[in-house]
Amino acid sequence: MSIPSKIDFINTVARVSPYVHQTPVVTSRLLNEISGTQLYFKCENFQKMGAFKMRGAVNAILQLSDVQKQSGVVTHSSGNFAQAVSLAAKNLNIPAYIVMPSNAPKVKVDAVKSYGGKITISKPTIESREEEAAKIQEQTGATFLHPSNNMDVILGQGTAAFELLDKHPDLDVIATPVGGGGLLAGTAVAAHYFGNNCQIIAGEPFEADDAFRSLEAGIIQYNETANTVADGLRTHLGNHNFPIIQELVSQIIRVEEDEIIAAMRLLWERLKIIIEPSCAVPFAAILREKEQFKGKKIGIILSGGNVDLSNLPF
Amino acid sequence: MSIPSKIDFINTVARVSPYVHQTPVVTSRLLNEISGTQLYFKCENFQKMGAFKMRGAVNAILQLSDVQKQSGVVTHSSGNFAQAVSLAAKNLNIPAYIVMPSNAPKVKVDAVKSYGGKITISKPTIESREEEAAKIQEQTGATFLHPSNNMDVILGQGTAAFELLDKHPDLDVIATPVGGGGLLAGTAVAAHYFGNNCQIIAGEPFEADDAFRSLEAGIIQYNETANTVADGLRTHLGNHNFPIIQELVSQIIRVEEDEIIAAMRLLWERLKIIIEPSCAVPFAAILREKEQFKGKKIGIILSGGNVDLSNLPF
């Protein structure tokens, strides 16, 4: 049993809350009509640095010893976790070393720079990222923070769902995207302790459906390619979050690229908020499986809003 | 003296409030840093149908007699007021006839249709719009509602600034865009009665600077052309709102098209919300006149969020 305890989760909420925004939850009558459900969107696009990843980064950094803090932290990330670690580290006045793949969106690279993160560019493969991060770790003594496969990060990400359930304790379903698995696992832990029979589902692009295949196979699977517009979802699960997902997540629904783009556009037009393509994936999943969710109260974690406006998919 | 009384204004707030969203006010540390001011953005992009114009439309329609309501209402508008009248009329189950210019953004025409407004397309001139509206008025007996030069509409638009001042009574300045003048005049009335020495300013595109020239000349001026990205600001002032603006507005600041687009992009990227180009005009004005506003607490009415995503200026 690898599920963190309720007391660990509550301690995380207490630790993280002072350092993050308690983001709003928005609704739309028209989107309810279109989906045949009642939707509650948790707006982590309004979180500090523009994504839920601030929560996990804050929690992981706050758990370091004073000695560890002196040597700083290092991570690799396609974007949002890099910003989160940079900003959290800046606020605590410790160095942050960030490995970013060469295909990371420019808006995210610029943001990391603006938060004072020291950037190393890697090849756009997981292997190259990990290699560069290991080098830095060795040279500087910095503590490595994994963007999704770290229990403190997982617990931190779960605090968004905790806030959502605190406002809407009777949700039938909470849906998140799944990339590295940190948000999904954290959300599942929150709902396990604070939901009322709340089912946890995830949306995933067909183009990067490693998590779906992992659940089917019972062992972690990888993506050979990941040509999806949902740039936050190109990574794979890890040994800390996979067992939680296996135990607590009821299904992963895969969606096509055109479904993701249409869902993203609908959210922009109707909610008047800016969200990343990855955020649109769970909403696209609900629209794809309308019959299954008819009449249900569904929370959706809108994971982030860091979009390159010069490179929109519509 | 053509300024509506305080009691008329208070009655308007009481009449309109149950039918509109009390929209949130958002802030951004980074935008404060960039501008050297403290900015409070009143998010009318989250208003019903996506713009402040819902307020004026609701107020004007609620003031009709039962007999008038039976014959319905007619208006001409480049977009947001058309949607507002359509939606308010739909909610009250009365017919709405809408004249829209042939260059109105598609997203706005579609929205009017979805709210059940009966559309007539006119040439893209004020004269053609007015002609078509007069014809419909004659044929149907519908009451004509002017988008900006109608005292009930002006009072209704002012309720956004009332809510803003209710939350932040110590604002030094409130800034709005100026197109037809309804929002600016209504905001000025609200600040006159509920502000604490609160200065009212407006932003206006150089490309459609009729309001600036009207204040200079002391008589209403018109635009010969209006080639501005701020499509909501192509119209001119009227005899009901101009005297209020003359009396209560301290200055109109003109901005270039590239300043509007840069300001719009900055608001999208930093606030993570979708706003129309027109909304960016007062913010662009503050940035242009930074020295003048240094250290001040400034409210900005973000007037709407109905943007054609297929036709963005960046």
Side-chain angles (χ1 to χ4, degrees), chain A residues 291-314:
Chain A
E291 281 312 307
Q292 185 188 154
F293 297 109
K294 207 169 177 174
K296 296 207 166 157
K297 292 187 77 164
I298 303 175
I300 294 182
I301 313 282
L302 292 179
S303 43
N306 293 327
V307 181
D308 189 346
L309 294 176
S310 304
N311 190 20
L312 293 176
F314 40 72

Side-chain angles (χ1 to χ4, degrees), chain B residues 191-220:
Chain B
H192 180 60
Y193 292 123
F194 298 97
N196 182 9
N197 266 324
C198 179
Q199 188 193 357
I200 299 301
I201 67 161
E204 188 175 38
F206 272 103
E207 290 291 334
D209 68 348
D210 56 290
F212 176 87
R213 289 182 286 109
S214 299
L215 277 191
E216 295 266 291
I219 182 171
I220 296 173

Side-chain angles (χ1 to χ4, degrees), chain B residues 125-203:
Chain B
T125 63
I126 308 277
E127 295 69 26
S128 169
R129 288 194 208 181
E130 288 176 350
E131 221 170 81
E132 293 294 337
K135 260 192 239 166
I136 292 167
Q137 213 181 337
E138 205 170 307
Q139 288 160 6
T140 63
T143 301
F144 178 70
L145 297 183
H146 193 281
S148 51
N149 195 39
N150 168 313
M151 203 52 92
D152 291 318
V153 170
I154 292 168
L155 284 164
Q157 317 302 32
T159 60
F162 173 85
E163 292 173 15
L164 178 58
L165 285 165
D166 191 44
K167 276 196 185 171
H168 302 282
D170 56 346
L171 292 175
D172 301 309
V173 177
I174 298 180
T176 77
V178 57
L183 176 65
L184 178 56
T187 300
V189 173
H192 180 60
Y193 292 123
F194 298 97
N196 182 9
N197 266 324
C198 179
Q199 188 193 357
I200 299 301
I201 67 161

Side-chain angles (χ1 to χ4, degrees), chain B residues 237-254:
Chain B
L237 305 178
N239 64 314
H240 291 292
N241 56 50
F242 182 52
I244 299 174
I245 291 169
Q246 277 187 302
E247 178 126 0
L248 301 179
V249 172
S250 49
Q251 63 176 318
I252 294 178
I253 297 166
R254 293 174 297 173

